[in-house]
């Protein structure tokens, strides 16, 4: 274990040591300045939870160009074109491009997959090619994970396929001991539901022919629990938000706003349609709860937790009011070996950043002296009082 952590952090200004009450912790071995990148890291395994915006199946970089991603917001059936007609004013060609390529390819998880480069497509097939011929069973497994809102089932499958040593050194607990009981729920009934979800996932996993399958459902439960405790949300803002902010502040003048109006209205109508479909599927109770939630509608918890920017553009004929919720962030989940050794603090010394892919950066929030422990916040500590933070940490 000690050799594993030493090798993992070699070449950095950090080291891993025993931390009383926490297992291990990450400590500074050479002085670090505010803003320094402590380390960068690719995931051991990661899965894009949403299909909008359209991102590379391997690295989660958005594919195509900004014009395509805008068109996709209003037309979910849209797909990248070899020569995408420009629809966003005042942008140079180099500013529109998000990836060098937009390639349709194979992935076991979805009927349709896209990649940002031939390299990403080749690496994805190399890592998960053993699932060729098992796509129907894999997609049934993924569908169950989506239905039960448990992304860690899919991350667990990817981790089993990729191998690696990190999972051996994580804190392992059964899945149902790692999930907070929702307010108002009976704890025993909720645990039974979690056990049922895990059992169904295990039955679907057992149908797959993979080399590193857990030997029992209990072992699988502990792996999923380890991911609940150690995996993180992979999330970055939709790049169109920054472009819209610039237009809102005057770049391109009134003509830019007029040119964007049809695309924004289409995106808003599509979002309202999806929100209505979600409420209808959830039933009358959910519809009542969502009343007054905002003109654009919140599509998920992820939308509700984001800071919302409001825009109001006046035209000679009418106005267009919309918010940043029109542009959903790229959202996924992933396990990062180095990050799993970093402990929580309500006054964190570092923060996790994703800048356009699933490559993680850990950045110092302040100068760090030799011997100081590196910490991050596991929760949104700024928006809660101490009592609520403690409840969330206990859960």
């Amino acid at each position: 274990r000690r050799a594993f952590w030493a090798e993992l952090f070699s070449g950095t200004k950090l080291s891993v040591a025993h931390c009383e009450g926490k297992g291990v912790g990450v400590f500074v071995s050479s002085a670090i300045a505010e803003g320094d990148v402590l380390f960068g890291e690719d995931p051991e395994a990661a899965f894009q939870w949403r299909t909008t915006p359209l991102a590379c199946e391997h690295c989660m970089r958005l594919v195509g160009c900004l014009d395509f991603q805008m068109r996709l917001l209003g037309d979910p059936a849209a797909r990248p074109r070899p020569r995408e007609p420009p629809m966003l004013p005042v942008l140079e060609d180099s500013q529109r491009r998000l990836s060098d390529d937009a390639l349709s390819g194979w992935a076991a998880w979805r009927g349709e997959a896209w990649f940002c480069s031939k390299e990403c497509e080749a690496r994805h097939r190399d890592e998960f090619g053993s699932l060729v011929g098992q796509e129907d069973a894999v997609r049934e497994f993924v569908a169950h994970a989506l239905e039960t809102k448990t992304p860690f089932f899919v991350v667990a499958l990817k981790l089993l396929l990729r191998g690696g040593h990190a999972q051996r050194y994580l804190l392992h607990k059964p899945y149902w001991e790692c999930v907070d009981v929702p307010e108002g729920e009976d704890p025993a009934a909720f645990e039974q539901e979690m056990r049922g979800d895990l059992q169904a996932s295990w039955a679907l996993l057992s149908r797959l022919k993979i080399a590193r399958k857990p030997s029992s459902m209990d072992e699988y439960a502990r792996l999923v629990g380890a991911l609940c405790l150690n995996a993180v949300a992979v999330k970055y803002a939709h790049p169109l938000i920054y472009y819209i902010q610039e237009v809102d502040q005057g770049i391109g003048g009134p003509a830019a706003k007029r040119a964007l109006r049809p695309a924004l209205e289409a995106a808003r109508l599509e979002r309202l349609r999806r929100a209505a479909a979600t409420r209808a599927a959830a039933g009358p109770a959910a519809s009542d709860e969502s009343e007054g939630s905002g003109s654009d509608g919140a599509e998920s918890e992820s939308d509700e937790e984001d800071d919302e920017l409001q825009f109001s553009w006046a035209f000679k004929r009418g106005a267009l009011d919309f918010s940043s919720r029109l542009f959903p962030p790229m959202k996924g989940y992933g396990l990062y070996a180095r990050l799993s050794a970093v402990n929580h603090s309500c006054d964190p010394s570092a923060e996790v950043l994703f800048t356009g892919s699933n490559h993680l950066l850990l950045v110092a929030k302040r100068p760090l002296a030799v011997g100081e422990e590196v910490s991050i916040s596991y929760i949104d500590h700024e928006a809660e009082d101490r009592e609520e933070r403690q409840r969330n940490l206990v859960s």
Side-chain angles (χ1 to χ4, degrees):
R1 180 186 179 96
R2 187 174 300 174
F4 168 77
W5 291 118
E7 182 180 354
L8 197 62
F9 281 88
S10 65
T12 72
K13 296 181 178 181
L14 308 171
S15 61
V16 174
H18 175 73
C19 194
E20 191 65 34
K22 300 178 182 178
V24 299
V26 176
F27 295 86
V28 176
S29 54
S30 182
I32 291 169
E34 179 181 354
D36 279 0
V37 175
L38 304 182
F39 59 76
E41 185 175 22
D42 290 328
E44 297 289 303
F47 178 66
Q48 185 189 357
W49 194 237
R50 290 173 145 175
T51 54
T52 302
L54 192 63
C56 176
E57 193 71 37
H58 187 76
C59 72
M60 296 188 189
R61 183 182 303 279
L62 298 198
V63 300
C65 61
L66 281 174
D67 304 86
F68 159 69
Q69 295 288 349
M70 175 66 89
R71 187 162 58 90
L72 180 65
L73 293 175
D75 178 10
R79 292 298 176 264
R81 301 168 180 170
R83 294 184 179 180
E84 187 74 31
M87 63 186 302
L88 305 180
V90 305
L91 284 180
E92 300 292 334
D93 287 345
S94 60
Q95 296 173 311
R96 300 175 189 276
R97 190 180 305 115
L98 295 169
S99 63
D100 291 336
D101 289 304
L103 307 171
S104 178
W106 173 88
W109 336 101
R110 317 179 200 276
E112 181 183 34
W114 289 82
F115 297 90
C116 70
S117 67
K118 292 180 180 179
E119 180 186 5
C120 272
E121 182 181 16
R123 290 179 63 188
H124 191 82
R125 183 175 283 273
D126 181 60
E127 291 175 3
F128 305 115
S130 62
L131 295 177
V132 170
Q134 302 185 72
E135 289 86 352
D136 288 346
V138 172
R139 289 165 196 168
E140 190 175 349
F141 176 90
V142 172
H144 173 262
L146 293 170
E147 181 182 348
T148 57
K149 298 181 180 179
T150 312
F152 306 119
F153 290 158
V154 186
V155 179
L157 173 57
K158 286 193 165 189
L159 191 60
L160 292 168
L161 289 162
R162 291 194 68 187
H165 301 292
Q167 60 187 9
R168 295 170 52 194
Y169 303 104
L170 302 177
L171 174 62
H172 286 70
K173 293 172 65 177
Y175 164 56
W176 44 85
E177 294 182 13
C178 306
V179 181
D180 188 20
V181 179
E183 187 176 350
E185 288 270 3
D186 175 64
F190 184 72
E191 179 180 325
Q192 192 62 33
E193 181 183 351
M194 296 297 98
R195 286 177 179 268
D197 291 344
L198 191 286
Q199 185 174 14
S201 181
W202 169 247
L204 293 167
L205 180 66
S206 298
R207 293 168 50 191
L208 299 176
K209 297 176 182 178
I210 59 176
R212 303 177 186 87
K213 192 181 301 180
S215 60
S216 66
M217 190 179 81
D218 286 344
E219 185 180 337
Y220 179 54
R222 294 176 69 82
L223 172 59
V224 175
L227 292 172
C228 287
L229 295 172
N230 293 279
V232 296
V234 180
K235 185 175 179 180
Y236 60 84
H238 201 303
L240 278 170
I241 289 178
Y242 307 117
Y243 167 71
I244 292 296
Q245 283 183 285
E246 290 191 2
V247 173
D248 184 66
Q249 292 166 10
I251 187 172
K257 293 180 179 179
R258 288 196 300 271
L260 287 169
R261 185 178 185 180
L264 290 170
E265 287 180 335
R268 186 171 180 274
L269 287 173
E270 173 57 25
R271 185 170 181 81
L272 289 172
R273 183 195 66 77
R274 289 200 307 270
T278 300
R279 289 194 296 270
S287 296
D288 292 341
E289 290 174 2
S290 64
E291 288 296 324
S293 62
S295 61
D296 290 329
E299 203 170 287
S300 70
E301 273 183 31
S302 169
D303 296 325
E304 291 172 350
E305 71 192 20
D306 290 334
D307 293 332
E308 186 176 6
L309 303 175
Q310 299 288 342
F311 302 96
S312 183
W313 293 356
F315 301 96
K316 287 184 179 180
R317 294 185 179 180
L320 178 63
D321 297 321
F322 63 99
S323 82
S324 55
R325 286 185 179 172
L326 275 186
F327 313 100
M330 205 302 302
K331 180 71 177 287
Y333 294 89
L335 174 69
Y336 294 81
R338 284 175 171 170
L339 190 70
S340 67
V342 180
N343 289 315
H344 166 83
S345 171
C346 288
D347 182 23
S349 60
E351 61 181 335
V352 172
L353 297 177
F354 295 97
T355 56
S357 74
N358 61 17
H359 183 75
L360 175 150
L361 298 176
L362 188 67
V363 180
K365 295 183 68 175
R366 58 174 181 262
L368 300 175
V370 173
E372 186 173 352
E373 183 179 5
V374 176
S375 60
I376 59 174
S377 176
Y378 292 174
I379 56 176
D380 183 9
H381 62 283
E382 295 179 350
E384 302 164 337
D385 59 27
R386 184 178 187 281
E387 184 178 348
E388 188 171 355
R389 290 201 303 269
Q390 292 299 317
R391 284 199 301 269
N392 283 345
L393 287 170
V394 168
S395 71

